[in-house]
Amino acid sequence: MTSIVAERWFQAPHLRRIFDLLNADGGEVRVVGGAIRNSLMGLPAGDVDLATTWRPEEVTERAGGAGIKAVPTGIDHGTVTLVIEGVPYEITTLRRDVATDGRRAEVAFGTDWKADAERRDFTINALYAGVDGEIIDHVGGLGDIETRTVRFIGSAAERVAEDYLRILRFFRFFAHYGSGRPDAEGLRACAQARAKLATLSAERVWTETKKLLSADDPGRALLWMRQAGVLSEILPETEKWGIDAIPALIAAEKSFSWRADPLLRLAAIVPPDAARLEAMTKRLRLSKAESAYLDRFAEAPEIAATLADAALDRQLYRHGTEGIVVRLRLALASARRKAETDPAFLADSASFHRLLARAEKWQRPVFPLNGADVLKLGVPAGPKVGEVLAELEAFWVERNFSVERATLVARLESMVRSG
């Protein structure tokens, strides 16, 4: 029998306390899903979720009697989160679907473990472990774990029709856990239902897309999404721009130990067009911080490998660091990939690497003058003050920030005298 009893997280006192609490008086609780899947694949377990035969109100009552905080995080769908010393455990009552419409499900609580497994999405997510740690597999998940196959439980078309978000989850789980080619039936079901993605909320679509882009290497999943027509449904901006930059970016990330950044990867596959990116961020309802990141990327100038250090400093001052760093990382990744087949790009790769290092360390200098200096010389408050400062600041920037305050003050006095 396959077992996870030796896993450190499985022996945590908090989890043992939940087993003791819910494996009593005729009830039962088992660990289910991601923690088991990841442990069997040699990955960090992450959050530990459980399923139980107890109804949610019974879980809440028993937790209260044991002095455990219970939070009704999804009470209508049977989920209560127990929090023990700050550690959350989601406990969900066994369920079967009564009705589905592609976006939400009406469920009925039950006590049938096999029925609960069969209503889940993928075989690798429907493995259970009781208090003894032995794996209980009703749907063939263990075999798919061994082959790293992401496969829908039962009919792929039926599972997709129950919740169209599973189209994106199929590719997301393939990106994180799959190998080889995607399951043919699952791929076909996702391709056939791709237009239904338009019925989902933008927040759900972006959350899944962001998780997919966070995989160690989302390249293969993006390729199959494009083949199935799914990528065009959620990111039509990629249709003409393409996803060919992803392999080079992943290689650069590994070479330079860059963290996996879903927004940088998104920037690699969408055009740096401010209007189109603004429309995309509104459509997908990205956060303000995410939208600002893409705005700065679109507004940043394209950087040539031949750009001098002083010229880069001026660009950084005018446009900020973040967007230019994104541009330089993408340019470096592209040059490195081209250099693999054409040595002529080796120099570009070295130049972009040097410019990127400079940009990442760059500290914005402080302009020595302010509005008070202008007002002191008798210029009346108003737009003219800003115009004067802007002209002096441009003079200072063009001379690589080297003009001292005394020289700028003298120039200011001369401007005021000349009107």
Side-chain angles (χ1 to χ4, degrees):
M1 291 290 290
T2 304
S3 174
I4 56 168
V5 71
E7 294 289 332
R8 187 172 181 178
W9 64 265
F10 190 75
Q11 295 299 332
H14 298 157
L15 183 58
R16 310 316 293 182
R17 189 175 172 190
I18 292 174
F19 277 128
D20 291 341
L21 177 69
L22 300 180
N23 280 332
D25 303 321
E28 186 178 6
V29 66
R30 299 174 183 173
V31 177
V32 64
I36 298 174
R37 176 198 65 227
N38 284 17
S39 292
L40 295 177
M41 288 184 166
L43 302 170
D47 293 336
V48 179
D49 299 329
L50 300 98
T52 184
T53 56
W54 294 103
R55 295 176 67 86
E57 62 271 17
E58 294 171 327
V59 172
T60 301
E61 183 179 352
R62 295 182 72 85
I68 298 174
K69 181 180 179 181
V71 182
T73 46
I75 197 76
D76 291 341
H77 287 83
T79 301
V80 176
T81 299
L82 302 189
V83 183
I84 305 176
E85 296 181 2
V87 180
Y89 293 87
E90 277 196 359
I91 319 291
T92 302
T93 304
L94 300 188
R95 301 174 292 179
R96 61 180 176 83
D97 291 338
V98 175
T100 60
D101 63 4
R103 291 180 297 169
R104 61 184 70 84
E106 180 184 340
V107 300
F109 302 137
T111 58
D112 187 332
W113 290 96
K114 187 171 186 293
D116 185 75
E118 290 173 343
R119 68 168 298 279
R120 295 176 181 269
D121 50 10
F122 308 115
T123 59
I124 61 174
N125 292 341
L127 300 172
Y128 303 84
V131 67
D132 59 3
E134 291 188 358
I135 303 302
I136 302 158
D137 181 9
H138 294 290
V139 294
L142 284 173
D144 288 339
I145 290 250
E146 290 181 9
T147 59
R148 298 186 75 90
T149 299
V150 178
R151 181 167 59 88
F152 284 105
I153 296 168
S155 165
E158 290 179 8
R159 294 291 81 75
V160 168
E162 290 165 352
D163 184 353
Y164 295 118
L165 190 68
R166 287 174 173 172
I167 297 172
L168 297 183
R169 285 174 61 82
F170 176 76
F171 292 104
R172 192 247 291 188
F173 277 84
F174 177 75
H176 283 271
Y177 306 111
S179 66
R181 295 169 62 93
D183 174 68
E185 184 187 354
L187 187 65
R188 183 166 54 252
C190 292
Q192 291 173 346
R194 64 186 183 275
K196 295 294 187 179
L197 288 167
T199 67
L200 301 175
S201 72
E203 292 86 352
R204 295 182 79 199
V205 170
W206 171 236
T207 296
E208 277 300 319
T209 304
K210 187 176 179 181
K211 289 178 180 178
L212 187 154
L213 290 171
S214 299
D216 286 344
D217 184 354
R220 292 177 307 118
L222 290 170
L223 175 63
W224 286 107
M225 288 174 74
R226 184 173 66 179
Q227 295 282 79
V230 170
L231 190 61
S232 294
E233 290 290 334
I234 60 169
L235 287 173
E237 294 79 10
T238 65
E239 288 178 359
K240 293 184 179 180
W241 197 253
I243 59 173
D244 297 340
I246 288 293
L249 177 57
I250 300 303
E253 288 175 353
K254 293 177 180 177
S255 179
F256 299 117
S257 299
W258 298 343
R259 68 176 181 85
D261 182 350
L263 289 176
L264 177 62
R265 291 162 172 189
L266 179 61
I269 62 176
V270 295
D273 179 280
R276 293 195 69 188
L277 292 187
E278 182 181 4
M280 182 191 74
T281 58
K282 288 181 178 178
R283 185 183 74 247
L284 293 176
R285 298 188 182 178
L286 272 63
S287 70
K288 288 183 179 179
E290 293 165 342
S291 298
Y293 178 102
L294 292 174
D295 286 345
R296 287 189 281 270
F297 158 62
E299 292 167 359
E302 187 173 354
I303 305 296
T306 55
L307 191 69
D309 288 354
L312 175 65
D313 291 349
R314 293 195 293 271
Q315 296 282 34
L316 289 165
Y317 186 86
R318 293 180 180 124
H319 299 282
T321 302
E322 188 174 42
I324 289 178
V325 165
V326 172
R327 290 273 194 168
L328 285 171
R329 286 193 172 191
L330 296 179
L332 173 57
S334 176
R336 289 180 75 254
R337 176 53 60 94
K338 292 175 181 176
E340 292 175 1
T341 54
D342 186 349
F345 286 94
L346 286 171
D348 284 356
S349 178
S351 294
F352 283 128
H353 190 262
R354 174 181 55 78
L355 291 169
L356 175 61
R358 185 178 185 87
E360 289 178 330
K361 294 187 302 184
W362 188 77
Q363 297 290 321
R364 181 182 175 87
V366 178
F367 181 50
L369 301 184
N370 56 42
D373 296 306
V374 183
L375 294 170
K376 192 184 299 182
L377 293 176
V379 177
K384 195 66 179 177
V385 173
E387 293 172 10
V388 170
L389 281 176
E391 184 175 336
L392 286 166
E393 187 177 20
F395 173 81
W396 176 70
V397 170
E398 286 302 321
R399 284 149 186 79
N400 300 319
F401 322 103
S402 61
V403 181
E404 295 181 353
R405 173 179 166 80
T407 303
L408 289 170
V409 169
R411 188 175 181 86
L412 170 60
E413 293 171 344
S414 175
M415 291 172 64
V416 170
R417 283 196 303 270
S418 65

